[in-house]
Amino acid sequence: MPLRKRPWSNSIFWVIISAFFITIFANFTMFAKANTWLIGSGSNQLFIVVLALFQFLLLLFFMALLTMHKWHRHVLAIFYFVAAFSAYFADSYGVIIDKDMLINATETNLAEALGLLSWRLIFYFTFLFALPVFVIYKVKIILQSVSKRIFYHSGVALLALVSFAFILLASSNFSTSFFREQKQIPFYSNPLSALYATYEITHKTFFSSHKLFKHIGDDAHISGLHKDRELVILVIGETARADRFSLNGYKKNTNPMLSKQSVVSFNNVSSCGTSTRISVPCIFSIEGKDKFDLSKFKNEENFLDVAKKSGVNILWRDNNSSSKGVANRFTYEDFLSPRNNPTCDPECRDIGMLSGLDEYINKQKKDDIIIVLHQMGSHGPAYYERVPESYLKFKPFCKTNQLDQCTDEEISNAYDNTILYTDFFLSEVIDFLKKYDDRFETAMFYVSDHGESLGEHNIYLHGMPYFMAPKGVTNVPLILWFGKNLIQTENLDMDLLKLKSNKPISHDNVFHTLLGILEIETGIYKKEKDLKSLAIKK
Ligand SMILES: [Zn+2]
């Protein structure tokens, strides 16, 4: 069965061209990262060619098989779309489009999406998606008979697979050591990594068994010994890294306000995940980092349910994207829009979440209160937009979301300004609580969901697989403030707690510390994970 004289009228021709085009033009970051390692390790740079062949043949294999039918053009268009999207994020921010990133993208609201819009993004979509797809829809592809299509497409797929295996064997000495040392390289393979992630998500969504809703802490109740009411404000931070707080030893003064409050700042705290979507639910889950599974989380109770069972009044105020499922069964107020938030210029500020809170507290006539404030915090890449003008103190700062157009210093300054604003916000939360010190046992608990990579190893933002995340992403700030009433009744030694603030802890401690502060008694409470117990003299 010979191909027609004009090869471009066959669909398989465009499959081969597309696999080649995407390999060469949409995998710049993968090649650059591999090249850096090859130079650094004194290896032969020619391995880049081998890597390109691997990518080309594997992509060709999948593309040939998936385009046997008459909708082949649409499938190719999807490949180009995913490739353009992933290439933009990989080349601009060094991030990988994996499972978590894809779900993040679908949960991103319009404001966040606009925050990423740029000329560069338009260029990527024109060159890597619109142009090639235009050509493919424009050329005349003659649809062959079913048998011919199956013959050519499976033939090319088979040839690609055999060549792949052959090259792998021929280069096995080097390939094995390369992929062992450079585990993250396959994650940058575009668009294969993103397509694999899509498969993972569909598989989980449609084939995971629907289990019964899981209840936890059914025995929870407030200890009879304690008559005082608790008022706790839990602040869930966004994208804050511990090493940018001067409380933790950062050289710039990013904590002028908090340093005047009697807070205890833990500086060795590891996050559960590297994205909001994982970390926020995980903080409230009983499972902890090792056992946390997002697909199960939606089907089980979390910390707030346990608090509810003990009679605690619960309010969630959100200036982020959402509670990520944590507050689904509780009072939830959106502070991203001026409808609830009085402090918008035009971006709605975290401080607006304190407005009207007095009314809420006064309305709760009995039982304890926990208020969760979910910050916008340091959400990037447009850090400079996160703060009102008066907080743009560290200069010069990066004034674009295109971080590679800014110097390291400008990025740092833009980011540090967001920490400065969070410092002000947290200090205001503490001052707010002080008004209630006589009526309640008050406490402020601040913890960030994950940190941020600010250009270390040329990686920006967050959300990468945990094992390859830089320390800036997984080392998060955690700050505690207890009111005088709580300190007295519980006989807490805050100096002792300060002495222990270097102790390695994690998001796993949040669940049990909150149970401890609210004096909730239940079989699931683990005293050794309650940070408050560190302040009690043995
Ligand atoms: Zn986050």
Side-chain angles (χ1 to χ4, degrees):
M1 277 188 276
L3 271 169
R4 275 190 207 85
K5 280 209 182 103
R6 273 174 288 175
W8 53 88
S9 59
N10 292 285
S11 54
I12 194 67
F13 174 82
W14 291 100
V15 169
I16 297 169
I17 292 290
S18 299
F20 187 75
F21 182 88
I22 291 175
T23 296
I24 299 298
F25 294 111
N27 278 284
F28 181 73
T29 300
M30 178 173 74
F31 294 134
K33 291 215 178 273
N35 196 37
T36 311
W37 185 78
L38 291 171
I39 294 171
S41 64
S43 315
N44 192 340
Q45 275 174 273
L46 270 180
F47 187 73
I48 290 289
V49 180
V50 179
L51 189 64
L53 277 172
F54 280 150
Q55 156 81 27
F56 169 70
L57 293 168
L58 211 54
L59 185 56
L60 182 58
F61 170 76
F62 286 111
M63 282 177 123
L65 288 183
L66 291 170
T67 52
M68 275 187 211
H69 44 74
K70 60 178 178 182
W71 302 290
H72 55 263
R73 283 185 166 110
H74 305 328
V75 174
L76 288 181
I78 293 172
F79 269 94
Y80 277 108
F81 182 83
V82 175
F85 182 75
S86 309
Y88 171 74
F89 282 97
D91 298 352
S92 307
Y93 303 112
V95 301
I96 291 162
I97 305 298
D98 66 354
K99 191 172 91 221
D100 296 336
M101 267 292 184
L102 270 189
I103 299 184
N104 275 337
T106 59
E107 288 176 358
T108 297
N109 57 37
L110 185 65
E112 283 177 311
L114 289 175
L116 288 168
L117 197 65
S118 65
W119 283 112
R120 182 200 279 245
L121 181 63
I122 294 167
F123 170 78
Y124 267 73
F125 267 87
T126 311
F127 181 67
L128 290 178
F129 171 67
L131 275 180
V133 169
F134 175 77
V135 173
I136 284 171
Y137 277 89
K138 202 75 191 162
V139 290
K140 200 167 179 209
I141 299 176
I142 300 162
L143 200 66
Q144 295 161 306
S145 67
V146 177
S147 59
K148 272 190 182 174
R149 264 185 273 149
I150 294 179
F151 176 79
Y152 287 127
H153 281 253
S154 352
V156 166
L158 189 69
L159 200 64
L161 202 61
V162 170
S163 318
F164 181 90
F166 179 78
I167 299 173
L168 190 64
L169 279 177
S171 68
S172 69
N173 264 348
F174 191 75
S175 298
T176 341
S177 67
F178 177 80
F179 288 114
R180 197 189 299 129
E181 295 264 329
Q182 290 292 288
K183 285 198 185 74
Q184 83 273 34
I185 289 285
F187 285 95
Y188 283 101
S189 172
N190 182 16
L192 294 169
S193 180
L195 291 168
Y196 177 70
T198 316
Y199 157 78
E200 273 190 305
I201 295 167
T202 358
H203 189 80
K204 266 219 163 130
T205 316
F206 294 106
F207 301 99
S208 63
S209 54
H210 289 277
K211 294 204 189 80
L212 282 176
F213 191 79
K214 187 179 154 195
H215 294 262
I216 57 164
D218 281 339
D219 59 342
H221 62 278
I222 301 288
S223 155
L225 292 171
H226 302 276
K227 293 281 173 281
D228 280 326
R229 295 176 69 194
E230 259 79 28
L231 170 61
V232 178
I233 295 187
L234 169 63
V235 179
I236 303 292
E238 176 60 61
T239 317
R241 42 190 281 175
D243 62 354
R244 294 302 175 107
F245 281 62
S246 47
L247 286 175
N248 297 335
Y250 187 45
K251 57 183 190 299
K252 291 191 225 165
N253 187 10
T254 48
N255 297 128
M257 305 299 286
L258 280 178
S259 55
K260 288 179 206 142
Q261 306 275 13
S262 350
V263 294
V264 177
S265 176
F266 285 81
N267 58 24
N268 197 357
V269 187
S270 54
S271 69
C272 176
T274 67
S275 67
T276 310
R277 190 179 140 266
I278 299 288
S279 278
V280 171
C282 185
I283 287 170
F284 291 86
S285 163
I286 179 78
E287 306 293 349
K289 178 178 183 298
D290 292 339
K291 283 195 259 160
F292 181 74
D293 179 342
L294 190 60
S295 58
K296 285 185 188 151
F297 178 80
K298 297 201 165 121
N299 242 343
E300 62 188 36
E301 291 185 331
N302 62 54
F303 169 78
L304 295 183
D305 293 280
V306 180
K308 183 97 201 164
K309 286 173 199 178
S310 321
V312 179
N313 299 292
I314 297 163
L315 173 66
W316 185 294
R317 289 188 158 188
D318 206 293
N319 196 34
N320 200 294
S321 43
S322 78
S323 76
K324 305 296 169 196
V326 178
N328 284 357
R329 298 173 287 280
F330 309 97
T331 312
Y332 177 93
E333 292 173 354
D334 178 11
F335 275 73
L336 265 185
S337 84
R339 199 157 39 90
N340 286 330
N341 194 330
T343 320
C344 306
D345 61 8
E347 176 159 318
C348 292
R349 304 298 174 195
D350 290 332
I351 193 73
M353 288 192 284
L354 291 181
S355 87
L357 219 44
D358 291 311
E359 283 91 319
Y360 173 81
I361 292 166
N362 291 328
K363 253 193 231 160
Q364 316 305 315
K365 295 288 179 232
K366 62 179 180 63
D367 296 330
D368 300 339
I369 300 172
I370 181 163
I371 297 163
V372 185
L373 305 177
H374 190 194
Q375 279 188 278
M376 177 58 86
S378 308
H379 183 75
Y383 308 116
Y384 67 106
E385 289 182 344
R386 293 295 92 83
V387 301
E389 232 177 291
S390 52
Y391 282 83
L392 292 167
K393 200 185 125 191
F394 299 112
K395 288 171 184 162
F397 58 88
C398 184
K399 289 173 196 158
T400 163
N401 58 11
Q402 301 296 292
L403 298 180
D404 55 355
Q405 290 173 15
C406 295
T407 63
D408 284 351
E409 192 205 353
E410 287 168 336
I411 296 169
S412 264
N413 284 340
Y415 181 83
D416 292 340
N417 286 329
T418 67
I419 302 295
L420 193 65
Y421 185 72
T422 287
D423 173 73
F424 153 75
F425 171 61
L426 295 177
S427 179
E428 288 292 303
V429 171
I430 293 170
D431 286 341
F432 176 89
L433 284 170
K434 281 178 184 165
K435 296 187 296 187
Y436 293 93
D437 238 7
D438 298 328
R439 286 165 55 196
F440 289 89
E441 290 180 8
T442 55
M444 193 235 14
F445 191 127
Y446 164 73
V447 65
S448 183
D449 58 348
H450 52 78
E452 185 85 321
S453 189
L454 294 168
E456 289 93 346
H457 314 292
N458 272 322
I459 295 177
Y460 295 90
L461 310 182
H462 56 266
M464 58 290 282
Y466 203 94
F467 77 89
M468 57 181 282
K471 200 171 173 226
V473 174
T474 55
N475 185 21
V476 290
L478 188 155
I479 295 170
L480 295 177
W481 174 89
F482 295 147
K484 62 175 196 297
N485 207 350
L486 180 70
I487 295 173
Q488 273 164 20
T489 18
E490 304 244 343
N491 207 6
L492 301 178
D493 184 341
M494 297 309 275
D495 292 327
L496 186 64
L497 190 59
K498 250 184 202 159
L499 283 176
K500 295 177 181 171
S501 61
N502 300 323
K503 189 179 146 77
I505 56 165
S506 74
H507 273 160
D508 293 2
N509 292 83
V510 181
F511 192 103
H512 302 279
T513 306
L514 289 171
L515 287 179
I517 294 173
L518 288 164
E519 293 153 351
I520 295 173
E521 291 190 341
T522 160
I524 58 174
Y525 168 70
K526 288 187 184 141
K527 195 177 175 196
E528 69 275 15
K529 289 197 171 168
D530 178 355
L531 298 175
K532 195 187 69 175
S533 69
L534 296 175
I536 297 166
K537 276 188 217 128
K538 294 269 151 52

